[in-house]
Amino acid sequence: MTAERIKPQMKDKELTEFATRFLTAYAASAQSGNGDPANYEGKSALFIRSGGPGGIVEITDGIAQAQGGFVHRAATLLKSKAGHEKAISEIGIDHAHDFIAGDGPVQNAVTAMMKAVFEQADASFEYLAPNYLIKLDPAAV
C-alpha cells in the first residue's frame, strides 16, 4: 500500500468516528473500575482485558460495537490483501491502553491508531520454505 492510498483512508469519516467512539468508551470503562480487581469480582474473564498500561478494563457492549465497527471499516478499506481483522483489533486494544495511560487528546490517539493500522498493512514479509519435492545430488554440488 502506497502513501498515496493511505492518505485518503486516514481521512475516512466513518473510520474516524468508530475510532473515536472506541477510544472514548474504552477510557470510560477503565475509569469506572479504577483498575481495581475487586471492582470486577464475579464478572466473566471474557469481558475483562488486563495487562496493558491502562490496567483492567471491562469490555462493555458499547466498546465491543465500536471496536467491531472500527475493525470492519479498516478491513474494508484495506481490502483482503492487507486487512487482517485480528491484527487490527490488537492494534486498537494496544492504542486504547496507551490512550488511557497518557494524557493526550482523543484526536491524537485516533490519528496514531489509524496510522498504525495502515502502516501494519503496508509491511511486507518474506517467507522461505524448503521444497522437499526436489532432492539435489550431493555429488553434483
Side-chain angles (χ1 to χ4, degrees), residues 4 10 12-13 22-23 27-30 36 44 62 65 70 90 92-95 99 102 109 112 120 125-126:
E4 295 83 34
M10 287 287 293
D12 185 77
K13 184 178 179 180
F22 168 63
L23 290 176
S29 182
D36 184 2
S44 170
Q65 290 172 354
F70 174 75
E90 289 175 0
I93 293 287
D94 291 343
H95 279 269
F99 172 61
Q120 173 75 21
F125 302 94
E126 289 185 25

Side-chain angles (χ1 to χ4, degrees), residues 86-100:
K86 182 162 176 43
I88 296 168
S89 179
E90 289 175 0
I91 290 170
I93 293 287
D94 291 343
H95 279 269
H97 272 279
D98 291 343
F99 172 61
I100 293 168

